Amino acid sequence: MPRPASPERRREVIDAVIDQLAATGIGSFSLRTLAAGIGQSTRVLTHHFADKNSLLAAVLARLDARQQEALRSTPGWHDPAVKVGFLVRSAWERNLGPDELPMTRLFREIEGLAAAGRLPFPGAAFVRGAPNSSPCAWSATVCRKAAP
């Protein structure tokens, strides 16, 4: 009898998959090459995700959550006295820093695939431009923060 899927382990797998996709790209991955890239078997992936699309949906949701966390941790995010330009500059510098650059490339690739209709579903909130999502709705979020 297989072990029940652990939410903590599932999140670890998703984070490993995201790191791998940031290094290799998302456009044409397979479960086999992805599993090999994270040092696991495809069985680990299929234990936590029904298929490639459910894995991709989990990846997009986790990326959206991670971007929201990053935005909220921007110095001055919760301080109305901090100017919007400072927030935008801080986020831009973070996204283009050496530690974040692979992830920024992954976001741009996902946005491009979504724009070309090459994602199998609408995708994460940041792709759909949902309210308070990132990075597509970043400017709307900042403008709401700046509004009197």
Side-chain angles (χ1 to χ4, degrees):
M1 177 182 226
R3 284 186 299 166
S6 156
E8 295 82 19
R9 177 65 180 134
R10 186 175 196 269
R11 179 178 264 192
E12 289 172 7
V13 171
I14 293 170
D15 285 339
V17 166
I18 288 171
D19 291 343
Q20 180 64 22
L21 292 174
T24 62
I26 197 170
S28 61
F29 77 91
S30 72
L31 291 181
R32 183 173 296 150
T33 58
L34 191 55
I38 65 171
Q40 301 289 331
S41 69
T42 55
R43 179 114 172 93
V44 169
L45 296 178
T46 58
H47 176 71
H48 293 283
F49 309 97
D51 56 24
K52 184 177 173 179
N53 285 348
S54 64
L55 171 62
L56 186 56
V59 163
L60 293 177
R62 178 73 177 129
L63 281 170
D64 191 55
R66 285 170 56 169
Q67 279 297 99
Q68 287 295 322
E69 291 168 17
L71 282 175
R72 281 189 221 97
S73 70
T74 302
W77 180 257
H78 299 286
D79 182 355
V82 173
K83 295 189 181 290
V84 172
F86 175 80
L87 296 173
V88 171
R89 197 170 22 266
S90 295
W92 184 256
E93 289 169 358
R94 181 186 65 247
N95 288 333
L96 294 180
D99 293 339
E100 282 295 316
L101 196 53
M103 202 62 60
T104 300
R105 286 187 194 120
L106 179 60
F107 274 106
R108 300 293 87 78
E109 183 181 7
I110 291 168
E111 290 168 344
L113 290 171
R118 291 185 50 209
L119 288 180
F121 42 81
F126 74 87
V127 174
R128 293 189 313 269
N132 296 320
S133 64
S134 60
C136 288
W138 161 254
S139 59
T141 302
V142 170
C143 289
R144 278 192 300 278
K145 179 185 176 352

